[in-house]
Amino acid sequence: MTSLDTASPETDETTVAALCQQLLEELPPKHTDPVAFLGRQFDLGLAWVHFPVGQGGLGLSPRQQRTINETLYPAGAPIAAFRNVIGHGMGAPTLITHGTEAQKARYLRPLFTGEEVWCQLFSEPGAGSDVAGLATKAVLDGEEWIVNGQKVWTTLAHLAKWGMLVARTDPDQPKHKGMTYFVVDMHAPGVEVRPLFQITGEAEFNEVYFTDVRIPDSERLGEVGEGWRATLTTLMNERVAIGGGIPAKGAGFIGEAVKEWKAGGHTDAARRDALMALWVRAEVLRLTNIRASQLRAVGTPGPEGSIGKALSADLNKDISAFTVGLLGAEGMLKPDGYPMERPKHAMQWANPQQAFLRARANSIEGGTTEIAKNILGERVLGLPGDVRNDKDVPWSQVPRS
Ligand SMILES: Cc1cc2nc3c(=O)[nH]c(=O)nc-3n(C[C@H](O)[C@H](O)[C@H](O)COP(=O)(O)OP(=O)(O)OC[C@H]3O[C@@H](n4cnc5c(N)ncnc54)[C@H](O)[C@@H]3O)c2cc1C
């Protein structure tokens, strides 16, 4: 059975609401270990409600997820996405779309509970926006693949148990055709994770080196040479995970700005006008994301995910700059300094100064704003495509910088 035999959206909502109540009564979140709570949430099909029964879902419309979130979060339930942001937002949809039944059974539950953190091993020193140009190679040796190469900017690799790895398996094919997607054990011999400092002083991301790392063929996701298809699933979901958030009205970055405005006792009309303009932009983005989430069908999100990604990057930068400006001279100092930290979460901030610094990366991570605009121009507006001289040339013959 892959879905519940329910008759209408109203019936579905009643079913979901009843299961949420059951979960809250069985395991009151305030007195329950988060892993136990999230495990039961998964088993009841309330993890990703549109996933099949037995795989964390109930086979219902993704719209029902809102009922779950709005019931569980106010009751103090742990938020799975915070505990494993890359696994939750990108790993799970990639696994459900391209994984074997054995892979789904093995990975989804501990991913949701946060017992096994995931990271994304796509970018390389010579392949970021042009990720299909990547050079890390995997060579088949019996039932195993041997991987050599380097990845970079790998968020939370220092905490990850599993990595989503794309590697070149046939250099003589054009770049999009010779790649294969794997799940790699980040604790396997030959995997080396080194911290990279960010402007905030934290090392949220890493360099990752692979030296003769062995991956069983059973950990391949999708067919050999078809890695680009699974890569696109991850990337499309990444844009939604980063830019598609739907906070409560007036919450998130803009909420912090309003808080700072009130705390500082500001009254001047010009700055109030600027704050209101930002508030309106935040609300327009929130409503756009609600509309996009309601239109989104089950499966890989479409190119419209790039709207939220591009808009939220600019907005976060502008709001955090405004908020730091409210602090006056104090805004120039980061209260906690720049100690080397290895954070447990990505994209977090403890104070406006840190938010200002961290937000600079929003227009780079998950695909730059220029790339988001290219996608929107080509795939939404139907404008002429970017220049792609190397599209049909074997990867091994493309000059590399
Ligand atoms: C905080 C943070 C976290 C990250 N986490 C991860 C992670 O977990 N895993 C991972 O794999 N990667 C991660 N990345 C990497 C990120 O995906 C890349 O930095 C990004 O895709 C850009 O690639 P690049 O840095 O190589 O820049 P480049 O691709 O070299 O781009 C340089 C500049 O050229 C512009 N440009 C490039 N091509 C075009 C074009 N065709 N048209 C117009 N302009 C263009 C870009 O917009 C950019 O301004 C992270 C990055 C950051 C900042």
Side-chain angles (χ1 to χ4, degrees):
M1 187 172 83
T2 56
S3 68
L4 283 185
D5 186 17
T6 51
S8 69
E10 292 73 32
T11 323
D12 291 346
E13 195 164 333
T14 311
T15 308
V16 166
L19 286 170
C20 287
Q21 280 318 318
Q22 180 189 333
L23 174 60
L24 291 173
E25 278 162 28
E26 269 180 29
L27 299 174
K30 287 182 185 140
H31 307 288
T32 306
D33 170 54
V35 170
F37 185 93
L38 291 168
R40 186 71 182 127
Q41 183 177 345
F42 181 95
D43 295 339
L44 287 171
L46 302 174
W48 299 276
V49 74
H50 56 294
F51 282 16
V53 172
Q55 294 172 349
L58 297 169
L60 300 180
S61 158
R63 288 179 195 205
Q64 300 297 339
Q65 195 70 36
R66 220 170 144 191
T67 308
I68 298 172
N69 298 349
E70 286 175 0
T71 311
L72 299 186
Y73 297 162
I79 301 179
F82 288 174
R83 297 163 57 86
N84 189 4
V85 64
I86 292 173
H88 191 273
M90 293 133 72
T94 309
L95 283 165
I96 206 75
T97 311
H98 302 279
T100 61
E101 293 309 305
Q103 287 168 336
K104 292 175 202 171
R106 165 65 188 85
Y107 295 128
L108 285 171
R109 196 177 189 277
L111 180 159
F112 185 74
T113 60
E115 288 164 282
E116 291 177 349
V117 170
W118 285 61
C119 67
Q120 177 199 20
L121 298 151
F122 285 15
S123 304
E124 297 183 1
S129 299
D130 181 25
V131 69
L134 57 82
T136 293
K137 66 175 180 186
V139 177
L140 191 59
D141 179 34
E143 290 296 302
E144 291 179 329
W145 294 83
I146 304 176
V147 179
N148 282 284
Q150 186 202 340
K151 298 288 175 176
V152 75
W153 320 125
T154 316
T155 304
L156 301 182
H158 51 288
L159 299 176
K161 164 64 179 159
W162 301 111
M164 293 170 259
L165 171 75
V166 196
R168 189 149 308 279
T169 45
D170 187 349
D172 296 324
Q173 291 286 336
K175 61 182 183 180
H176 291 98
K177 299 201 175 129
M179 292 185 291
T180 303
Y181 201 123
F182 301 95
V183 175
V184 60
D185 181 350
M186 294 298 289
H187 301 151
V191 179
E192 190 189 346
V193 176
R194 296 187 196 164
L196 280 173
F197 281 105
Q198 291 165 253
I199 193 173
T200 52
E202 295 183 319
E204 197 182 286
F205 54 27
N206 305 269
E207 296 179 302
V208 181
Y209 292 84
F210 292 91
T211 311
D212 293 332
V213 175
R214 290 188 165 264
I215 304 180
D217 188 49
S218 57
E219 305 299 349
R220 174 167 45 79
L221 211 62
E223 298 302 316
V224 176
E226 292 288 325
W228 185 244
R229 286 184 58 213
T231 300
L232 278 181
T233 303
T234 310
L235 292 175
M236 295 292 203
N237 280 285
E238 179 174 28
R239 281 158 202 155
V240 173
I242 294 178
I246 305 173
K249 193 172 186 172
F253 256 72
I254 194 65
E256 294 298 313
V258 173
K259 206 162 86 189
E260 214 51 63
W261 168 269
K262 288 183 179 160
H266 299 279
T267 52
D268 63 292
R271 280 211 276 203
R272 187 167 53 202
D273 195 41
L275 178 59
M276 286 319 300
L278 291 168
W279 200 93
V280 169
R281 278 170 65 192
E283 184 59 8
V284 167
L285 176 62
R286 197 180 78 86
L287 295 175
T288 304
N289 280 342
I290 290 178
R291 197 175 49 161
S293 76
Q294 300 216 334
L295 289 174
R296 204 171 295 138
V298 177
T300 305
E304 67 285 346
S306 294
I307 298 174
K309 171 71 182 68
L311 288 183
S312 65
D314 285 348
L315 183 62
N316 290 349
K317 286 186 188 183
D318 292 348
I319 294 176
S320 58
F322 174 85
T323 311
V324 161
L326 290 178
L327 299 176
E330 201 191 312
M332 292 188 283
L333 284 177
K334 193 160 166 282
D336 49 349
Y338 297 86
M340 157 64 170
E341 275 178 30
R342 297 291 264 159
K344 287 206 167 144
H345 303 283
M347 291 198 252
Q348 305 284 300
W349 67 87
N351 50 61
Q353 292 90 332
Q354 192 182 9
F356 170 78
L357 294 171
R358 182 59 184 81
R360 303 301 101 188
N362 288 173
S363 53
I364 306 172
E365 60 200 311
T368 67
T369 296
E370 289 77 16
I371 296 301
K373 286 181 179 170
N374 278 355
I375 293 169
L376 291 172
E378 289 177 34
R379 300 207 29 218
V380 178
L381 302 177
L383 298 175
D386 200 5
V387 179
R388 295 188 177 94
N389 300 331
D390 57 355
K391 196 162 89 56
D392 301 314
V393 183
W395 178 85
S396 53
Q397 291 174 27
V398 177
R400 298 181 57 74
S401 55

